[in-house]
PDB file of all heavy atoms in Angstrom:
ATOM      1  N   ASP A  20     -12.314   5.679  37.082  1.00 89.00           N
ATOM      2  CA  ASP A  20     -13.560   4.944  37.322  1.00 89.00           C
ATOM      3  C   ASP A  20     -14.720   5.289  36.399  1.00 89.00           C
ATOM      4  O   ASP A  20     -15.799   4.719  36.528  1.00 89.00           O
ATOM      5  CB  ASP A  20     -14.052   5.094  38.778  1.00 89.00           C
ATOM      6  CG  ASP A  20     -13.502   3.977  39.623  1.00 89.00           C
ATOM      7  OD1 ASP A  20     -12.862   3.075  39.045  1.00 89.00           O
ATOM      8  OD2 ASP A  20     -13.714   3.997  40.846  1.00 89.00           O
ATOM      9  N   ALA A  21     -14.524   6.225  35.490  1.00 92.00           N
ATOM     10  CA  ALA A  21     -15.627   6.570  34.579  1.00 92.00           C
ATOM     11  C   ALA A  21     -15.829   5.465  33.546  1.00 92.00           C
ATOM     12  O   ALA A  21     -16.899   5.354  32.946  1.00 92.00           O
ATOM     13  CB  ALA A  21     -15.348   7.899  33.896  1.00 92.00           C
ATOM     14  N   ASP A 111     -18.967   9.650  33.390  1.00 96.00           N
ATOM     15  CA  ASP A 111     -19.887   8.763  34.104  1.00 96.00           C
ATOM     16  C   ASP A 111     -21.244   9.470  34.212  1.00 96.00           C
ATOM     17  O   ASP A 111     -21.314  10.598  34.703  1.00 96.00           O
ATOM     18  CB  ASP A 111     -19.274   8.499  35.495  1.00 96.00           C
ATOM     19  CG  ASP A 111     -20.109   7.560  36.346  1.00 96.00           C
ATOM     20  OD1 ASP A 111     -21.345   7.662  36.311  1.00 96.00           O
ATOM     21  OD2 ASP A 111     -19.510   6.738  37.067  1.00 96.00           O
ATOM     22  N   VAL A 112     -22.297   8.796  33.759  1.00 95.00           N
ATOM     23  CA  VAL A 112     -23.610   9.444  33.697  1.00 95.00           C
ATOM     24  C   VAL A 112     -24.091   9.909  35.079  1.00 95.00           C
ATOM     25  O   VAL A 112     -24.801  10.905  35.189  1.00 95.00           O
ATOM     26  CB  VAL A 112     -24.668   8.506  33.037  1.00 95.00           C
ATOM     27  CG1 VAL A 112     -24.990   7.326  33.943  1.00 95.00           C
ATOM     28  CG2 VAL A 112     -25.932   9.256  32.652  1.00 95.00           C
ATOM     29  N   ALA A 113     -23.691   9.208  36.127  1.00 95.00           N
ATOM     30  CA  ALA A 113     -24.157   9.586  37.453  1.00 95.00           C
ATOM     31  C   ALA A 113     -23.278  10.671  38.063  1.00 95.00           C
ATOM     32  O   ALA A 113     -23.754  11.558  38.755  1.00 95.00           O
ATOM     33  CB  ALA A 113     -24.173   8.361  38.365  1.00 95.00           C
ATOM     34  N   LYS A 114     -21.994  10.619  37.785  1.00 96.00           N
ATOM     35  CA  LYS A 114     -21.082  11.566  38.431  1.00 96.00           C
ATOM     36  C   LYS A 114     -20.905  12.847  37.629  1.00 96.00           C
ATOM     37  O   LYS A 114     -20.484  13.869  38.166  1.00 96.00           O
ATOM     38  CB  LYS A 114     -19.729  10.903  38.666  1.00 96.00           C
ATOM     39  CG  LYS A 114     -19.847   9.747  39.639  1.00 96.00           C
ATOM     40  CD  LYS A 114     -18.507   9.363  40.191  1.00 96.00           C
ATOM     41  CE  LYS A 114     -18.611   8.210  41.155  1.00 96.00           C
ATOM     42  NZ  LYS A 114     -17.632   7.180  40.856  1.00 96.00           N
ATOM     43  N   ILE A 138     -20.737   9.432  27.007  1.00 96.00           N
ATOM     44  CA  ILE A 138     -21.338   9.396  28.340  1.00 96.00           C
ATOM     45  C   ILE A 138     -21.678   7.940  28.647  1.00 96.00           C
ATOM     46  O   ILE A 138     -22.464   7.309  27.933  1.00 96.00           O
ATOM     47  CB  ILE A 138     -22.549  10.343  28.420  1.00 96.00           C
ATOM     48  CG1 ILE A 138     -22.006  11.778  28.203  1.00 96.00           C
ATOM     49  CG2 ILE A 138     -23.256  10.199  29.771  1.00 96.00           C
ATOM     50  CD1 ILE A 138     -22.996  12.878  28.290  1.00 96.00           C
ATOM     51  N   ASN A 139     -21.058   7.447  29.692  1.00 96.00           N
ATOM     52  CA  ASN A 139     -21.045   6.007  29.981  1.00 96.00           C
ATOM     53  C   ASN A 139     -21.959   5.623  31.153  1.00 96.00           C
ATOM     54  O   ASN A 139     -22.366   6.468  31.917  1.00 96.00           O
ATOM     55  CB  ASN A 139     -19.587   5.617  30.293  1.00 96.00           C
ATOM     56  CG  ASN A 139     -19.390   4.124  30.370  1.00 96.00           C
ATOM     57  OD1 ASN A 139     -20.109   3.357  29.723  1.00 96.00           O
ATOM     58  ND2 ASN A 139     -18.416   3.690  31.161  1.00 96.00           N
ATOM     59  N   LYS A 140     -22.222   4.345  31.230  1.00 94.00           N
ATOM     60  CA  LYS A 140     -22.981   3.723  32.338  1.00 94.00           C
ATOM     61  C   LYS A 140     -24.463   4.073  32.306  1.00 94.00           C
ATOM     62  O   LYS A 140     -25.083   4.268  33.355  1.00 94.00           O
ATOM     63  CB  LYS A 140     -22.377   4.084  33.715  1.00 94.00           C
ATOM     64  CG  LYS A 140     -20.892   3.810  33.837  1.00 94.00           C
ATOM     65  CD  LYS A 140     -20.430   3.799  35.271  1.00 94.00           C
ATOM     66  CE  LYS A 140     -18.921   3.692  35.331  1.00 94.00           C
ATOM     67  NZ  LYS A 140     -18.377   3.687  36.666  1.00 94.00           N
ATOM     68  N   LEU A 141     -25.014   4.148  31.086  1.00 90.00           N
ATOM     69  CA  LEU A 141     -26.436   4.470  30.942  1.00 90.00           C
ATOM     70  C   LEU A 141     -27.339   3.387  31.518  1.00 90.00           C
ATOM     71  O   LEU A 141     -28.528   3.587  31.698  1.00 90.00           O
ATOM     72  CB  LEU A 141     -26.776   4.666  29.455  1.00 90.00           C
ATOM     73  CG  LEU A 141     -26.832   6.096  28.927  1.00 90.00           C
ATOM     74  CD1 LEU A 141     -28.106   6.788  29.377  1.00 90.00           C
ATOM     75  CD2 LEU A 141     -25.644   6.925  29.363  1.00 90.00           C
ATOM     76  N   ASP A 142     -26.747   2.212  31.810  1.00 88.00           N
ATOM     77  CA  ASP A 142     -27.546   1.150  32.423  1.00 88.00           C
ATOM     78  C   ASP A 142     -27.821   1.460  33.889  1.00 88.00           C
ATOM     79  O   ASP A 142     -28.552   0.755  34.557  1.00 88.00           O
ATOM     80  CB  ASP A 142     -26.797  -0.191  32.311  1.00 88.00           C
ATOM     81  CG  ASP A 142     -25.420  -0.118  32.950  1.00 88.00           C
ATOM     82  OD1 ASP A 142     -24.690   0.865  32.670  1.00 88.00           O
ATOM     83  OD2 ASP A 142     -25.077  -1.015  33.736  1.00 88.00           O
ATOM     84  N   ARG A 143     -27.213   2.539  34.374  1.00 89.00           N
ATOM     85  CA  ARG A 143     -27.441   2.921  35.774  1.00 89.00           C
ATOM     86  C   ARG A 143     -28.221   4.221  35.843  1.00 89.00           C
ATOM     87  O   ARG A 143     -28.188   5.003  34.899  1.00 89.00           O
ATOM     88  CB  ARG A 143     -26.093   3.188  36.442  1.00 89.00           C
ATOM     89  CG  ARG A 143     -25.356   1.958  36.772  1.00 89.00           C
ATOM     90  CD  ARG A 143     -24.280   2.349  37.727  1.00 89.00           C
ATOM     91  NE  ARG A 143     -23.431   1.219  38.050  1.00 89.00           N
ATOM     92  CZ  ARG A 143     -22.220   1.361  38.555  1.00 89.00           C
ATOM     93  NH1 ARG A 143     -21.737   2.573  38.764  1.00 89.00           N
ATOM     94  NH2 ARG A 143     -21.507   0.311  38.846  1.00 89.00           N
ATOM     95  N   GLU A 144     -28.844   4.455  37.001  1.00 90.00           N
ATOM     96  CA  GLU A 144     -29.517   5.745  37.185  1.00 90.00           C
ATOM     97  C   GLU A 144     -28.462   6.846  37.171  1.00 90.00           C
ATOM     98  O   GLU A 144     -27.413   6.707  37.784  1.00 90.00           O
ATOM     99  CB  GLU A 144     -30.202   5.807  38.558  1.00 90.00           C
ATOM    100  CG  GLU A 144     -31.552   5.151  38.735  1.00 90.00           C
ATOM    101  CD  GLU A 144     -32.519   5.246  37.583  1.00 90.00           C
ATOM    102  OE1 GLU A 144     -32.753   6.363  37.085  1.00 90.00           O
ATOM    103  OE2 GLU A 144     -33.053   4.206  37.175  1.00 90.00           O
ATOM    104  N   GLY A 145     -28.768   7.915  36.473  1.00 91.00           N
ATOM    105  CA  GLY A 145     -27.796   9.011  36.460  1.00 91.00           C
ATOM    106  C   GLY A 145     -28.487  10.330  36.269  1.00 91.00           C
ATOM    107  O   GLY A 145     -29.687  10.460  36.531  1.00 91.00           O
ATOM    108  N   LYS A 146     -27.721  11.302  35.796  1.00 93.00           N
ATOM    109  CA  LYS A 146     -28.293  12.628  35.607  1.00 93.00           C
ATOM    110  C   LYS A 146     -29.089  12.676  34.314  1.00 93.00           C
ATOM    111  O   LYS A 146     -28.848  11.896  33.393  1.00 93.00           O
ATOM    112  CB  LYS A 146     -27.159  13.651  35.533  1.00 93.00           C
ATOM    113  CG  LYS A 146     -26.327  13.716  36.783  1.00 93.00           C
ATOM    114  CD  LYS A 146     -25.331  14.854  36.700  1.00 93.00           C
ATOM    115  CE  LYS A 146     -24.494  14.874  37.960  1.00 93.00           C
ATOM    116  NZ  LYS A 146     -23.574  15.998  38.013  1.00 93.00           N
ATOM    117  N   ASP A 147     -29.999  13.620  34.249  1.00 92.00           N
ATOM    118  CA  ASP A 147     -30.787  13.839  33.047  1.00 92.00           C
ATOM    119  C   ASP A 147     -29.844  14.196  31.885  1.00 92.00           C
ATOM    120  O   ASP A 147     -28.877  14.949  32.061  1.00 92.00           O
ATOM    121  CB  ASP A 147     -31.747  14.999  33.341  1.00 92.00           C
ATOM    122  CG  ASP A 147     -32.461  15.451  32.096  1.00 92.00           C
ATOM    123  OD1 ASP A 147     -33.355  14.731  31.651  1.00 92.00           O
ATOM    124  OD2 ASP A 147     -32.079  16.511  31.543  1.00 92.00           O
ATOM    125  N   LEU A 151     -26.767  16.901  31.737  1.00 95.00           N
ATOM    126  CA  LEU A 151     -25.378  16.492  31.519  1.00 95.00           C
ATOM    127  C   LEU A 151     -24.745  17.271  30.366  1.00 95.00           C
ATOM    128  O   LEU A 151     -23.601  17.716  30.450  1.00 95.00           O
ATOM    129  CB  LEU A 151     -25.326  15.008  31.190  1.00 95.00           C
ATOM    130  CG  LEU A 151     -25.062  14.075  32.348  1.00 95.00           C
ATOM    131  CD1 LEU A 151     -25.192  12.645  31.888  1.00 95.00           C
ATOM    132  CD2 LEU A 151     -23.673  14.301  32.930  1.00 95.00           C
ATOM    133  N   PRO A 169     -30.153   8.885  24.598  1.00 90.00           N
ATOM    134  CA  PRO A 169     -30.653   7.708  25.310  1.00 90.00           C
ATOM    135  C   PRO A 169     -32.180   7.636  25.339  1.00 90.00           C
ATOM    136  O   PRO A 169     -32.849   8.669  25.367  1.00 90.00           O
ATOM    137  CB  PRO A 169     -30.100   7.898  26.718  1.00 90.00           C
ATOM    138  CG  PRO A 169     -29.882   9.355  26.865  1.00 90.00           C
ATOM    139  CD  PRO A 169     -29.565   9.890  25.499  1.00 90.00           C
ATOM    140  N   GLY A 171     -34.643   6.474  27.856  1.00 83.00           N
ATOM    141  CA  GLY A 171     -34.723   6.054  29.250  1.00 83.00           C
ATOM    142  C   GLY A 171     -33.336   5.921  29.861  1.00 83.00           C
ATOM    143  O   GLY A 171     -32.324   6.219  29.220  1.00 83.00           O
ATOM    144  N   MET A 172     -33.319   5.471  31.090  1.00 80.00           N
ATOM    145  CA  MET A 172     -32.042   5.365  31.801  1.00 80.00           C
ATOM    146  C   MET A 172     -32.185   4.417  32.973  1.00 80.00           C
ATOM    147  O   MET A 172     -33.288   4.205  33.457  1.00 80.00           O
ATOM    148  CB  MET A 172     -31.675   6.763  32.306  1.00 80.00           C
ATOM    149  CG  MET A 172     -30.400   6.815  33.087  1.00 80.00           C
ATOM    150  SD  MET A 172     -30.266   8.337  33.965  1.00 80.00           S
ATOM    151  CE  MET A 172     -30.124   9.505  32.648  1.00 80.00           C
ATOM    152  N   GLY A 173     -31.067   3.851  33.402  1.00 80.00           N
ATOM    153  CA  GLY A 173     -31.071   2.972  34.568  1.00 80.00           C
ATOM    154  C   GLY A 173     -32.034   1.816  34.382  1.00 80.00           C
ATOM    155  O   GLY A 173     -31.976   1.107  33.369  1.00 80.00           O
ATOM    156  N   TYR A 174     -32.967   1.678  35.299  1.00 80.00           N
ATOM    157  CA  TYR A 174     -33.914   0.571  35.266  1.00 80.00           C
ATOM    158  C   TYR A 174     -34.760   0.617  33.983  1.00 80.00           C
ATOM    159  O   TYR A 174     -35.096  -0.402  33.392  1.00 80.00           O
ATOM    160  CB  TYR A 174     -34.806   0.641  36.521  1.00 80.00           C
ATOM    161  CG  TYR A 174     -35.800  -0.483  36.613  1.00 80.00           C
ATOM    162  CD1 TYR A 174     -35.358  -1.773  36.926  1.00 80.00           C
ATOM    163  CD2 TYR A 174     -37.149  -0.256  36.367  1.00 80.00           C
ATOM    164  CE1 TYR A 174     -36.258  -2.811  36.997  1.00 80.00           C
ATOM    165  CE2 TYR A 174     -38.054  -1.295  36.439  1.00 80.00           C
ATOM    166  CZ  TYR A 174     -37.613  -2.575  36.751  1.00 80.00           C
ATOM    167  OH  TYR A 174     -38.498  -3.599  36.813  1.00 80.00           O
ATOM    168  N   ASP A 175     -35.087   1.839  33.559  1.00 80.00           N
ATOM    169  CA  ASP A 175     -35.940   2.012  32.374  1.00 80.00           C
ATOM    170  C   ASP A 175     -35.153   2.165  31.081  1.00 80.00           C
ATOM    171  O   ASP A 175     -35.711   2.563  30.054  1.00 80.00           O
ATOM    172  CB  ASP A 175     -36.794   3.282  32.532  1.00 80.00           C
ATOM    173  CG  ASP A 175     -37.912   3.059  33.519  1.00 80.00           C
ATOM    174  OD1 ASP A 175     -38.388   1.921  33.595  1.00 80.00           O
ATOM    175  OD2 ASP A 175     -38.282   4.029  34.212  1.00 80.00           O
ATOM    176  N   PHE A 176     -33.890   1.914  31.121  1.00 83.00           N
ATOM    177  CA  PHE A 176     -33.061   2.147  29.938  1.00 83.00           C
ATOM    178  C   PHE A 176     -33.464   1.191  28.816  1.00 83.00           C
ATOM    179  O   PHE A 176     -33.394  -0.021  28.952  1.00 83.00           O
ATOM    180  CB  PHE A 176     -31.585   1.956  30.316  1.00 83.00           C
ATOM    181  CG  PHE A 176     -30.648   2.243  29.185  1.00 83.00           C
ATOM    182  CD1 PHE A 176     -30.722   3.428  28.470  1.00 83.00           C
ATOM    183  CD2 PHE A 176     -29.674   1.327  28.821  1.00 83.00           C
ATOM    184  CE1 PHE A 176     -29.849   3.701  27.427  1.00 83.00           C
ATOM    185  CE2 PHE A 176     -28.793   1.580  27.785  1.00 83.00           C
ATOM    186  CZ  PHE A 176     -28.887   2.775  27.088  1.00 83.00           C
ATOM    187  N   PHE A 190     -31.676  -2.103  23.953  1.00 75.00           N
ATOM    188  CA  PHE A 190     -30.849  -2.639  25.018  1.00 75.00           C
ATOM    189  C   PHE A 190     -31.534  -3.827  25.666  1.00 75.00           C
ATOM    190  O   PHE A 190     -32.694  -3.756  26.024  1.00 75.00           O
ATOM    191  CB  PHE A 190     -30.658  -1.541  26.063  1.00 75.00           C
ATOM    192  CG  PHE A 190     -29.861  -1.957  27.247  1.00 75.00           C
ATOM    193  CD1 PHE A 190     -28.518  -2.247  27.113  1.00 75.00           C
ATOM    194  CD2 PHE A 190     -30.439  -2.036  28.506  1.00 75.00           C
ATOM    195  CE1 PHE A 190     -27.763  -2.622  28.213  1.00 75.00           C
ATOM    196  CE2 PHE A 190     -29.685  -2.414  29.613  1.00 75.00           C
ATOM    197  CZ  PHE A 190     -28.349  -2.699  29.457  1.00 75.00           C
ATOM    198  N   GLY A 254     -23.908   5.655  26.051  1.00 91.00           N
ATOM    199  CA  GLY A 254     -23.826   4.199  25.982  1.00 91.00           C
ATOM    200  C   GLY A 254     -23.449   3.575  27.304  1.00 91.00           C
ATOM    201  O   GLY A 254     -23.443   4.231  28.348  1.00 91.00           O
ATOM    202  N   SER A 255     -23.141   2.291  27.230  1.00 91.00           N
ATOM    203  CA  SER A 255     -22.684   1.573  28.407  1.00 91.00           C
ATOM    204  C   SER A 255     -21.569   0.640  27.959  1.00 91.00           C
ATOM    205  O   SER A 255     -21.822  -0.370  27.309  1.00 91.00           O
ATOM    206  CB  SER A 255     -23.849   0.779  29.016  1.00 91.00           C
ATOM    207  OG  SER A 255     -23.330  -0.156  29.922  1.00 91.00           O
ATOM    208  N   LEU A 257     -19.631  -1.299  29.593  1.00 89.00           N
ATOM    209  CA  LEU A 257     -19.664  -2.621  30.207  1.00 89.00           C
ATOM    210  C   LEU A 257     -20.613  -3.555  29.458  1.00 89.00           C
ATOM    211  O   LEU A 257     -20.366  -4.736  29.327  1.00 89.00           O
ATOM    212  CB  LEU A 257     -20.113  -2.480  31.671  1.00 89.00           C
ATOM    213  CG  LEU A 257     -20.007  -3.732  32.517  1.00 89.00           C
ATOM    214  CD1 LEU A 257     -18.549  -4.129  32.701  1.00 89.00           C
ATOM    215  CD2 LEU A 257     -20.662  -3.520  33.870  1.00 89.00           C
ATOM    216  N   ASN A 258     -21.693  -2.984  28.939  1.00 85.00           N
ATOM    217  CA  ASN A 258     -22.686  -3.793  28.233  1.00 85.00           C
ATOM    218  C   ASN A 258     -22.513  -3.755  26.720  1.00 85.00           C
ATOM    219  O   ASN A 258     -23.438  -4.102  25.989  1.00 85.00           O
ATOM    220  CB  ASN A 258     -24.085  -3.314  28.599  1.00 85.00           C
ATOM    221  CG  ASN A 258     -24.382  -3.559  30.054  1.00 85.00           C
ATOM    222  OD1 ASN A 258     -24.533  -4.698  30.475  1.00 85.00           O
ATOM    223  ND2 ASN A 258     -24.396  -2.504  30.845  1.00 85.00           N
TER     224      ASN A 258
END
Side-chain angles (χ1 to χ4, degrees):
D20 268 354
D111 181 321
V112 69
K114 296 197 180 132
I138 296 182
N139 190 28
K140 308 196 187 179
L141 262 284
D142 57 313
R143 284 195 184 161
E144 279 322 309
K146 299 187 181 184
D147 171 74
L151 265 174
M172 179 194 294
Y174 182 73
D175 285 328
F176 183 52
F190 178 67
S255 165
L257 189 66
N258 294 291

